[in-house]
Amino acid sequence: MRKLIFLAIVFATVITTSCNKDEIEDFTIPVNLSGTTWKYTANDQWLEYALLIFTSTTTVEGWDKRNGEAEVINWTGSFTISNDTISVEGGIFSGIIDGETIASTNDDTIIFFKQ
């Protein structure tokens, strides 16, 4: 009986410690992107930051916060992902998803970080 209890404890320990909680989600999968917010912190005199807020597996909102003003939504659009490239309809935004960053392909200085 002691051996059975000991084996059960060892088995439970192995199962709970074998999970890797540091794994980065694959954000090239729309379901993982849905419900996330990504932030670009600007380094200029008029823009504090910009946000990409993924409201579903197909829609995204573009927000920004200008110096001295309230945070506002600028656009809403549908997006598609092909491999690691994300494109918002109408060419509003496109970028490369790499781990927890999205680097704009429209402007090489804009990188959004997952919040």
Side-chain angles (χ1 to χ4, degrees):
M1 184 67 163
R2 287 184 188 182
K3 287 182 183 181
L4 185 59
I5 292 173
F6 176 74
L7 286 174
I9 291 172
V10 168
F11 181 74
T13 302
V14 169
I15 294 296
T16 58
T17 59
S18 65
C19 297
N20 185 354
K21 294 179 183 175
D22 296 331
E23 241 179 71
I24 295 175
E25 286 187 75
D26 182 359
F27 292 108
T28 61
I29 300 170
V31 73
N32 292 344
L33 204 51
S34 179
T36 64
T37 298
W38 300 68
K39 184 177 184 178
Y40 161 69
T41 303
N43 190 18
D44 63 41
Q45 51 188 296
W46 63 274
L47 181 66
E48 285 184 40
Y49 60 84
L51 301 173
L52 295 174
I53 300 175
F54 293 89
T55 56
S56 75
T57 58
T58 59
T59 57
V60 59
E61 298 175 344
W63 290 73
D64 74 25
K65 167 81 170 76
R66 297 173 191 252
N67 291 325
E69 297 180 16
E71 187 177 276
V72 295
I73 186 169
N74 291 317
W75 53 267
T76 299
S78 297
F79 70 90
T80 58
I81 298 175
S82 177
N83 297 322
D84 62 351
T85 302
I86 183 167
S87 300
V88 177
E89 69 175 294
I92 294 173
F93 177 83
S94 62
I96 303 295
I97 301 171
D98 184 14
E100 294 192 350
T101 64
I102 300 175
S104 171
T105 54
N106 302 26
D107 182 338
D108 61 357
T109 62
I110 296 178
I111 300 175
F112 289 84
F113 295 90
K114 184 178 177 301
Q115 300 299 293

